[in-house]
Amino acid sequence: MRWLWIVWLGCIVPTVAHASASAAPSDTLWLEASNAGPWNPYLSYCLDSRSQPNTGQRAATLWAAKRLQPVPPGRVLQAGFTQDRLWLRAVVVNTLPQRTRFVWSVYEFVDSATLFVQPRGQGLPRRTVSTSSHIIADQRPFPARAACLPFWLEANASAVLYLSLENQSGSLYIPTDITTTEDFLAYEQGFIVVKNWTWLLGLYFSSALFNLLLFAFLRDKIHLWYGAYVFFITLFLMMEDGLDGLLLPQATYGLGWQLGQYSLLLLALGCGVRIMAIFLRLRQGWPRLYRLSWVLSGLAAGYALGYALLAQPLLRADAAGHRLAWLNAGREALLWGILGASVFILAAVWSQGRAPHRRLAALYGLTYLFFFGGSVNFLLNRTGLVNIHLVDPNALAWGLALELFTLSALLTGRFRHTLRQNAELRVRQLRERELAGRRLIMAQEEEREALARELHDALAPSLTALHLAWQGRQVRQALAEAPAVLADTHEQTEALLRQVRHDVRTLSQGMLPTLHGEPPPLPEAVGLLTETLSLADTGPRVHCYCDAATATLPMPVQQAAYRMVAELLHNALRHAQAAEVWVDVRRLPNSLRLVVSDNGRGFDPQAELARRGGLGLRGVRARAGYLRGHVQVQSQLGHGASIIVEIPV
């Protein structure tokens, strides 16, 4: 019969337990293997000065004084901006048939969290565990991204829980729950995927990296500001959901929270103002708005730095935290001020600008709308004015994602526009370079023509007259009566005069192929030059070929080619010590090719290049460079030289 009693007890005990549960208060939280919200009906709260002791006795006193009030309806408990300590109270019952470990989790940064447990609601609540969000997840009593406070309950046991929270860095915005450790860990395991963080973080980081690459190529500062903007806002959002405690090392994590979560949002807004100023081209057409944008960005950076330096000293100097409250209030006011000023700048450009400015303002306004809407919803929730949560993880994260989509499209268009501008700039620079080269060549041509005329019209006749006078009848009569040594000197002097006349004629011919009328075409000019140079009794034999098709080239190109051929020929005659020199001028499909080669002593091209070549070769390189051509030198010591010039036509 014993087994019948066991069956009867197994049936009657759950019925009694259920009856007891029905008789319990309505705000009691019946803990099961998996527990889901909303949690508001089960919680009560109050604010208490931080100067009061953080003990179980204080918790019991607050409850006895009826200071704790029901949590207002809504998804998240929002107490607004305050420096006070927040107390939460919950009555829980373990409905599981075994001793179970539960965890009270706070999914938000807190300076400190302490859990007090009052078994069966009797006696003073005793301190069970405490934690802080100032350390990374692995170093907390319960290693998780949230601030977790574990406690044990026996089977079917009840307890009253008191949770004290302190957060001096901003508003008291407390998403929280109480569940088993198994249920909590199962939720945390899929959190990043369920809350869309996997692809959101991928979008943020890839967008920042893409713009840093664009900056490396274009040196456009808008991409650098964009990268900083995405970095700050992404870190802010990671801190919002505690992902920084999971992913960052302690040093970086602590530095982020010393700066402050809302200071990162402030820095992001400052970078956003710079992006807007560059995109709208405020510097060119709106100097006052441009200065305003710099003031806003400077205030954001300065306030963030000041907050990082002053927050902890103010907190230590003022136990009640009133001074820090003013510092937090100023930061909040600046956040709203930058958001409003950005809207003002957009509206001013759109209402008063010309069509191009209005178009830019409209495009950027569409982009900014997503971020602005998400930011307003986020900040209003934080201040406790509204309790609207439409998407996971929050409206700001999705607003940023939509903004990045549209802003990336706009910056891609800006990238294409920049490429077009660069192409136009290169074309303009080439045209200016070509014009400068033409002017330089024309100046050289005028100078050469003047010098050639002086040689031909002044120096050459004088030398001819001197030569004729030196061969005159009186000179010869005097030499007939003079010693033989004077006759030898006369012959040497006459030969020298003849050589000087020849050199002057050759030089004037090389500098200007004709002195009267239009210059001859390139084949005729080169032929005349080589014929003149071949008149010397001593010197190399010059062979010449000039393609007849070169006569159809533009006259400036023909003149430049003639100058280079003349310079290279004179170099070969003066320095090569060659027996033969070859000149080859050919018109190719897309270029003019000039080749002057010899069988002389040759030289080392590298050594010649190291000492920057002779004056003649430097002039040829410079002239070819002006015409976008290039010079190739082929030579070896003792094996002659070949100079090749190619000019695009």
Side-chain angles (χ1 to χ4, degrees):
M1 296 294 293
R2 181 176 297 178
W3 66 273
L4 292 176
W5 283 100
I6 295 174
V7 172
W8 182 81
L9 287 173
C11 295
I12 194 65
V13 170
T15 305
V16 175
H18 181 71
S20 300
S22 300
S26 60
D27 60 352
T28 300
L29 177 58
W30 299 89
L31 296 174
E32 301 175 351
S34 179
N35 301 273
W39 306 98
N40 307 70
Y42 311 110
L43 300 177
S44 57
Y45 82 107
C46 76
L47 295 174
D48 191 29
S49 173
R50 287 194 309 112
S51 60
Q52 296 295 331
N54 185 23
T55 62
Q57 177 66 48
R58 182 60 181 172
T61 301
L62 292 172
W63 174 251
K66 298 182 179 180
R67 291 274 305 276
L68 282 91
Q69 303 295 324
V71 172
R75 179 178 172 182
V76 179
L77 170 62
Q78 299 157 304
F81 283 86
T82 178
Q83 306 304 312
D84 291 334
R85 180 183 296 122
L86 174 68
W87 284 95
L88 293 175
R89 181 181 184 272
V91 180
V92 297
V93 176
N94 179 14
T95 64
L96 300 176
Q98 68 276 347
R99 185 171 183 262
T100 307
R101 192 188 193 199
F102 297 92
V103 60
W104 191 335
S105 305
V106 178
Y107 300 94
E108 185 63 26
F109 180 89
V110 289
D111 290 313
S112 67
T114 306
L115 179 65
F116 300 88
V117 179
Q118 188 180 25
R120 296 181 299 280
Q122 299 174 2
L124 287 178
R126 66 174 184 268
R127 182 189 184 107
T128 302
V129 65
S130 62
T131 188
S132 171
S133 297
H134 282 286
I135 56 178
I136 60 175
D138 288 343
Q139 300 177 12
R140 297 171 188 170
F142 191 92
R145 66 178 181 90
C148 297
L149 300 108
F151 61 94
W152 289 91
L153 278 182
E154 299 293 336
N156 301 312
S158 65
V160 178
L161 307 178
Y162 291 92
L163 180 62
S164 70
L165 299 172
E166 294 183 9
N167 182 18
Q168 309 304 320
S169 61
S171 64
L172 283 174
Y173 175 90
I174 308 298
T176 183
D177 64 27
I178 306 173
T179 188
T180 62
T181 55
E182 293 80 5
D183 185 38
F184 171 78
L185 293 175
Y187 170 76
E188 287 294 292
Q189 198 170 24
F191 169 79
I192 293 182
V193 176
V194 172
K195 297 297 183 178
N196 303 301
W197 275 118
T198 304
W199 73 271
L200 283 176
L201 287 177
L203 171 65
Y204 299 159
F205 288 121
S206 61
S207 180
L209 179 60
F210 175 68
N211 276 272
L212 290 179
L213 290 175
L214 289 181
F215 172 75
F217 283 105
L218 299 179
R219 299 298 175 182
D220 189 345
K221 291 183 178 179
I222 192 171
H223 299 292
L224 194 61
W225 287 112
Y226 185 96
Y229 168 73
V230 176
F231 170 77
F232 287 128
I233 197 66
T234 301
L235 187 55
F236 168 83
L237 291 171
M238 289 173 60
M239 296 166 74
E240 174 65 18
D241 271 358
L243 296 177
D244 56 334
L246 287 176
L247 303 177
L248 300 180
Q250 178 63 52
T252 307
Y253 176 81
L255 181 62
W257 281 108
Q258 182 181 357
L259 185 62
Q261 182 186 8
Y262 284 89
S263 296
L264 289 171
L265 180 58
L266 199 59
L267 291 173
L269 290 178
C271 293
V273 172
R274 301 304 324 130
I275 296 172
M276 181 174 64
I278 297 174
F279 187 86
L280 298 181
R281 303 172 186 171
L282 297 183
R283 186 175 185 178
Q284 287 80 10
W286 309 85
R288 292 183 178 179
L289 294 181
Y290 182 73
R291 288 194 293 270
L292 174 61
S293 70
W294 269 115
V295 170
L296 294 174
S297 299
L299 284 175
Y303 206 98
L305 179 60
Y307 189 94
L309 298 176
L310 297 176
Q312 291 303 317
L314 288 179
L315 189 60
R316 288 192 294 267
D318 183 9
H322 296 307
R323 296 177 183 176
L324 184 59
W326 281 104
L327 192 63
N328 286 331
R331 185 174 58 180
E332 181 76 5
L334 186 56
L335 285 171
W336 285 102
I338 293 179
L339 284 172
S342 300
V343 174
F344 168 76
I345 292 174
L346 281 170
V349 174
W350 187 85
S351 61
Q352 300 179 15
R354 297 179 179 179
H357 288 94
R358 292 168 63 91
R359 182 168 57 253
L360 290 176
L363 290 173
Y364 194 86
L366 175 64
T367 300
Y368 189 69
L369 176 65
F370 301 118
F371 179 78
F372 180 81
S375 299
V376 168
N377 176 254
F378 183 87
L379 292 176
L380 288 178
N381 282 336
R382 285 301 180 132
T383 55
L385 298 177
V386 300
N387 204 331
I388 303 174
H389 303 270
L390 301 176
V391 290
D392 288 326
N394 56 62
L396 180 56
W398 284 94
L400 176 63
L402 294 174
E403 182 190 32
L404 294 185
F405 275 127
T406 54
L407 190 57
S408 296
L410 293 180
L411 291 182
T412 300
R414 179 184 175 88
F415 173 67
R416 296 175 60 186
H417 178 69
T418 303
L419 289 181
R420 288 196 300 269
Q421 284 186 325
N422 290 341
E424 293 172 358
L425 178 62
R426 285 195 296 271
V427 171
R428 186 163 58 250
Q429 289 175 340
L430 287 175
R431 289 176 178 172
E432 292 175 355
R433 180 179 176 183
E434 181 180 1
L435 180 60
R438 289 180 179 178
R439 290 175 178 174
L440 179 61
I441 291 174
M442 290 176 61
Q444 290 178 343
E445 292 296 331
E446 292 175 358
E447 184 179 1
R448 284 173 176 269
E449 182 177 355
L451 183 57
R453 291 186 184 279
E454 286 295 324
L455 291 174
H456 184 273
D457 298 339
L459 183 57
S462 299
L463 288 174
T464 301
L466 180 60
H467 189 208
L468 292 176
W470 193 246
Q471 293 176 328
R473 180 173 55 85
Q474 296 178 354
V475 173
R476 292 186 179 279
Q477 290 177 355
L479 288 174
E481 300 173 358
V485 65
L486 291 180
D488 294 337
T489 303
H490 176 268
E491 291 180 1
Q492 294 176 2
T493 305
E494 184 182 3
L496 180 61
L497 285 174
R498 185 167 56 251
Q499 183 63 38
V500 170
R501 287 182 59 198
H502 178 271
D503 289 344
V504 169
R505 180 183 177 186
T506 302
L507 182 59
S508 62
Q509 183 67 35
M511 295 181 67
L512 194 67
T514 182
L515 294 174
H516 304 284
E518 293 294 327
L522 184 59
E524 182 179 342
V526 171
L528 182 60
L529 174 64
T530 55
E531 180 182 350
T532 302
L533 295 176
S534 299
L535 294 176
D537 297 333
T538 60
R541 183 179 179 185
V542 181
H543 306 275
C544 176
Y545 172 80
C546 186
D547 191 352
T550 59
T552 62
L553 293 173
M555 187 52 65
V557 177
Q558 294 189 51
Q559 292 177 348
Y562 175 81
R563 299 298 180 210
M564 286 185 278
V565 169
E567 193 63 58
L568 292 174
L569 265 176
H570 281 293
N571 276 358
L573 296 177
R574 286 195 298 266
H575 308 298
Q577 298 179 7
E580 293 183 290
V581 178
W582 294 270
V583 177
D584 188 85
V585 180
R586 296 180 185 271
R587 169 72 184 272
L588 302 178
N590 297 313
S591 64
L592 175 64
R593 182 182 179 92
L594 315 174
V595 181
V596 176
S597 56
D598 62 74
N599 60 356
R601 63 179 181 174
F603 59 93
D604 184 359
Q606 297 299 326
E608 190 76 9
L609 185 62
R611 65 185 187 90
R612 301 185 62 187
L615 184 60
L617 190 55
R618 283 209 307 265
V620 171
R621 291 184 187 275
R623 190 179 292 272
Y626 286 130
L627 297 175
R628 302 192 302 277
H630 64 274
V631 178
Q632 181 181 1
V633 179
Q634 299 176 353
S635 180
Q636 289 183 0
L637 291 174
H639 294 83
S642 179
I643 314 297
I644 304 170
V645 182
E646 284 207 23
I647 304 171
V649 291

